[in-house]
Amino acid sequence: MSATPKKNRAGRRILATAAGLATVGAMVAALPAGADDRGKPAGHHPGRTVDVQLLSFNDLHGNLEPPAGSSGEVIHQHADGTTEKIKAGGVEYLATHLRTARQGNPYSVTAAAGDMIGASPLMSGLFHDEPTIEALNKLKLDVSSVGNHEFDEGAKELARMQNGGCHPTGGCYEEGKTFPGANFPYLAANVTNEKTGKPILDPYFIWERKGVKIGFIGVTLEGTPNIVTAEGVKGLKFGDEVETIDKYTKVLERKGVKSIVALIHEGGAPASSSYNYNCDSPGAGDGISGPVVDIAKRLNPQVDALVTGHTHQAYVCTVPDPSGKPRMVTSASSYGKLYTDTTLTYDRRTKDIVRTSVESANHVVSRDVPKAADMTSLIERWNTLAAPIANRPQGYISADINGRGSTDYEKPLGDLITDAQLAGLAPADKGGAQIALMNPGGIRSDLVYKASGAEGDGVVTYGEAFTVQPFTNMMNVVDLTGAQLIAGLQQQVSGSNEASPKILQVSKGFTYTLDMTRTGAARVVVDSVKLNGEPIDPAKSYRVAMNEFLAGGGDGFPALAQGKNKLVGPSDLDVFNAYLAANSSASAPIAPPKADRITVVK
């Protein structure tokens, strides 16, 4: 299968004209000296080696404008242990930082590890992420793996993102212009058509510059079907990440490509939320846990570096490969707040990376640099098209209501969303809901009190509400027995969610205790589960409202898919906006909920 994208990118000139100031802070992890991973002496050989700059980022999610609130901050840890929050992100600044970083680096390649699109703010999401693909083309992105959110609208829409063409129902958004598609290849090595068994997109890409060749293999997490709507992954099969990368590593080797980078949309959890935390203390990779660690430890030693994502965390770690040699594993947080700069020393004679010379650092996409004019123009153009909808006031709040920015299991914005769902679906003719449940991953941002534009402080616009609830999932109301409901709560902390709990947000009147000193399903204290003060009866039937993703068992909740007598209601966004309009005004704004429905024992 050809690994060359549809557009001719040979001879692409690296754009490095934007001036910029120095990036705020960097964390450098250098591999220990000694023999390289082929047992040969390490070090540079004058005239034989060349340094290749690998710039990478992940989980942009269509955040072209600077993310608001906590979504637009990174934490910097100082030498004395104190920390500070730095405002970061925005494609105008990302472009400047990347273009400045490329200056003086004739061998520079830019790669991404998935979720470039999907769950996007209104300016991109309203136009099915065409603005984001256009921005990535201007950024001169060379290659990206797919992520789970690239499948939010299904394989056909992903193919349109790659190949171009107007949206099948939305049409062309600008008169006289047809969406051209991505200039870079989207890689989906482990995503195959169920009928043919072939990858739906290219599995790998070979980057070449003046005789230097580096192969990129792109995969998304095998568990993508568990976190995407069934319609989005219909007809697709998602294979094991390690087995797939090993397979295509051998393919690349047969083509004479020995320098290989894996782009993996799966990630880990560092021990600190600071982007410059030393992930290799006290030893290599000791500061990170999670799925990507197991992948890194099992993956073919021929793979020289792993660029990862999905968990929205920042880390630069060296995790030992199966032969025991350290190997770089990186992630650049999310929303364009960081980028990673990795130096790969390429040996022209062996055609391989001198592994022990690999260095990597995460850099802040600070907002103290000049904005890239072409990105400003792009944002203004698309914002003009979106403005009639985006700027429409929906409601009022008295202070920040945190969702994505809350580290607690129960989030104030989660309470507000579930209360909105309960209110909208409680009437008998709307479903008769008694309880509403919301998956935490579906809350994509915070509601921020400070005005984002000219609307005024405390005003929630349609665009801001859309950023919180961008999936337009249809609401479902179903019958669940008390036993099924309790089983669903237990699945928050057991099964596929045991290692990384997914705590459902619950509507007012529904309360229970979560004892995290216990393990597995026992963490849910069953006799504490109550509705309006009355214990849940395992044999009784309850009407439960939730989005169609949860009602289909998504996020590891098969018990919730057992519901009967389903009624399909309006979208989650429509329900949320209706609640804001009916329950707030300029003189009586909504205050942040207390988030006191789930009692957590630690």
Side-chain angles (χ1 to χ4, degrees):
M1 173 175 290
S2 170
T4 303
K6 63 182 181 64
K7 296 180 177 61
N8 181 10
R9 292 162 54 253
R12 167 184 291 169
R13 299 182 63 187
I14 297 300
L15 192 57
T17 57
L21 303 179
T23 313
V24 182
M27 185 278 284
V28 176
L31 298 176
D36 71 14
D37 59 321
R38 309 297 181 269
K40 298 177 181 179
H44 292 252
H45 301 273
R48 202 177 92 188
T49 62
V50 60
D51 283 346
V52 176
Q53 178 188 59
L54 170 61
L55 301 176
S56 59
F57 55 98
N58 52 276
D59 295 275
L60 180 63
H61 290 288
N63 279 262
L64 303 184
E65 296 179 287
S70 60
S71 294
E73 296 175 339
V74 294
I75 299 174
H76 177 81
Q77 182 172 322
H78 296 287
D80 62 2
T82 60
T83 61
E84 69 169 311
K85 293 181 179 179
I86 301 170
K87 297 292 184 183
V91 75
E92 294 161 295
Y93 304 107
L94 177 61
T96 295
H97 280 283
L98 291 179
R99 291 166 182 175
T100 301
R102 291 175 184 143
Q103 291 179 3
N105 291 282
Y107 297 88
S108 184
V109 56
T110 304
D115 277 7
M116 294 294 98
I117 59 174
S120 303
L122 183 76
M123 193 194 77
S124 186
L126 186 63
F127 304 106
H128 298 276
D129 280 314
E130 290 182 20
T132 296
I133 297 298
E134 181 183 348
L136 293 172
N137 288 344
K138 290 180 180 292
L139 282 176
K140 302 300 182 185
L141 181 64
D142 287 291
V143 60
S144 179
S145 68
V146 295
N148 53 287
H149 281 285
E150 263 79 17
F151 294 93
D152 284 348
E153 296 190 51
K156 287 185 178 180
E157 177 63 4
L158 175 56
R160 189 179 75 90
M161 291 291 99
Q162 178 71 85
N163 300 315
C166 296
H167 191 269
T169 58
C172 296
Y173 298 113
E174 295 179 288
E175 188 175 351
K177 292 184 180 180
T178 299
F179 174 58
N183 287 348
F184 57 92
Y186 257 124
L187 304 183
N190 69 329
V191 187
T192 55
N193 182 297
E194 283 185 341
K195 293 181 178 179
T196 66
K198 295 181 179 180
I200 63 167
L201 294 170
D202 284 353
Y204 61 86
F205 166 70
I206 301 172
W207 178 85
E208 186 172 1
R209 184 70 49 80
K210 297 180 181 178
V212 174
K213 293 182 180 181
I214 297 178
F216 290 85
I217 303 169
V219 299
T220 187
L221 69 155
E222 184 181 10
T224 290
N226 297 325
I227 53 176
V228 175
T229 58
E231 190 64 27
V233 294
K234 187 176 181 180
L236 304 178
K237 183 178 180 181
F238 292 76
D240 179 84
E241 303 95 332
V242 173
E243 292 177 3
T244 302
I245 294 172
D246 284 354
K247 172 184 175 180
Y248 287 105
T249 294
K250 294 173 183 176
V251 171
L252 287 170
E253 286 183 297
R254 288 196 296 269
K255 290 179 174 290
V257 179
K258 296 182 179 180
S259 296
I260 298 171
V261 175
L263 305 176
I264 306 174
H265 191 72
E266 178 62 289
S272 168
S273 57
S274 299
Y275 80 90
N276 60 332
Y277 160 72
N278 184 0
C279 188
D280 289 336
S281 178
D286 286 345
I288 187 172
S289 59
V292 78
V293 177
D294 176 62
I295 290 172
K297 289 181 176 179
R298 294 167 50 213
L299 200 58
N300 193 319
Q302 187 65 44
V303 176
D304 295 295
L306 282 65
V307 176
T308 72
H310 186 57
T311 57
H312 290 205
Q313 301 298 306
Y315 47 83
V316 174
C317 310
T318 52
V319 179
D321 68 18
S323 68
K325 302 298 187 297
R327 176 168 52 191
M328 198 62 74
V329 179
T330 70
S331 175
S333 186
S334 62
Y335 300 164
K337 294 179 291 188
L338 299 174
Y339 72 91
T340 311
D341 190 336
T342 302
T343 300
L344 303 172
T345 300
Y346 182 91
D347 189 320
R348 290 184 179 277
R349 185 178 66 81
T350 65
K351 300 181 181 181
D352 212 342
I353 300 300
V354 182
R355 182 88 70 79
T356 52
S357 70
V358 174
E359 295 182 350
S360 191
N362 270 333
H363 298 266
V364 179
V365 177
S366 59
R367 301 175 189 171
D368 57 356
V369 299
K371 295 180 180 180
D374 59 337
M375 293 301 179
T376 300
S377 177
L378 181 152
I379 289 171
E380 290 176 348
R381 197 177 91 245
W382 286 104
N383 263 339
T384 298
L385 292 174
I389 297 174
N391 297 333
R392 193 167 64 215
Q394 297 297 311
Y396 301 83
I397 57 175
S398 64
D400 289 356
I401 303 179
N402 286 337
R404 205 74 175 180
S406 171
T407 58
D408 295 328
Y409 285 139
E410 183 182 354
K411 306 177 188 305
L413 189 49
D415 285 1
L416 179 60
I417 289 171
T418 51
D419 286 353
Q421 293 175 350
L422 180 63
L425 299 167
D429 62 339
K430 303 296 183 183
Q434 300 165 276
I435 301 165
L437 304 175
M438 175 66 192
N439 55 307
I443 304 171
R444 304 305 299 185
S445 188
D446 307 325
L447 284 183
V448 179
Y449 177 78
K450 183 176 176 58
S452 60
E455 75 275 10
D457 292 346
V459 179
V460 180
T461 65
Y462 185 93
E464 290 166 341
F466 184 97
T467 299
V468 169
Q469 296 263 265
F471 297 110
T472 318
N473 275 318
M474 304 309 292
M475 292 301 303
N476 290 182
V477 186
V478 298
D479 286 340
L480 287 175
T481 65
Q484 290 168 334
L485 186 57
I486 290 170
L489 296 180
Q490 291 172 330
Q491 286 164 359
Q492 300 175 112
V493 288
S494 62
S496 62
N497 292 329
E498 182 164 5
S500 181
K502 290 187 175 73
I503 306 304
L504 297 169
Q505 308 300 287
V506 299
S507 55
K508 62 183 179 181
F510 191 72
T511 57
Y512 72 97
T513 297
L514 193 63
D515 188 347
M516 298 305 289
T517 66
R518 302 179 183 180
T519 59
R523 289 171 169 172
V524 175
V525 181
V526 173
D527 59 8
S528 74
V529 184
K530 298 179 180 179
L531 178 59
N532 299 322
E534 294 293 324
I536 290 292
D537 183 347
K540 186 178 177 180
S541 180
Y542 298 86
R543 292 292 283 170
V544 181
M546 55 191 138
N547 61 47
E548 60 186 325
F549 172 64
L550 268 185
D555 262 355
F557 291 98
L560 302 184
Q562 298 173 5
K564 299 184 182 303
N565 298 320
K566 180 171 70 175
L567 182 145
V568 178
S571 75
D572 50 8
L573 179 60
D574 287 345
V575 168
F576 187 49
N577 281 330
Y579 184 84
L580 292 173
N583 292 276
S584 69
S585 65
S587 60
I590 294 173
K594 295 180 180 179
D596 57 359
R597 300 164 189 180
I598 305 173
T599 301
V600 181
V601 179
K602 297 182 179 180

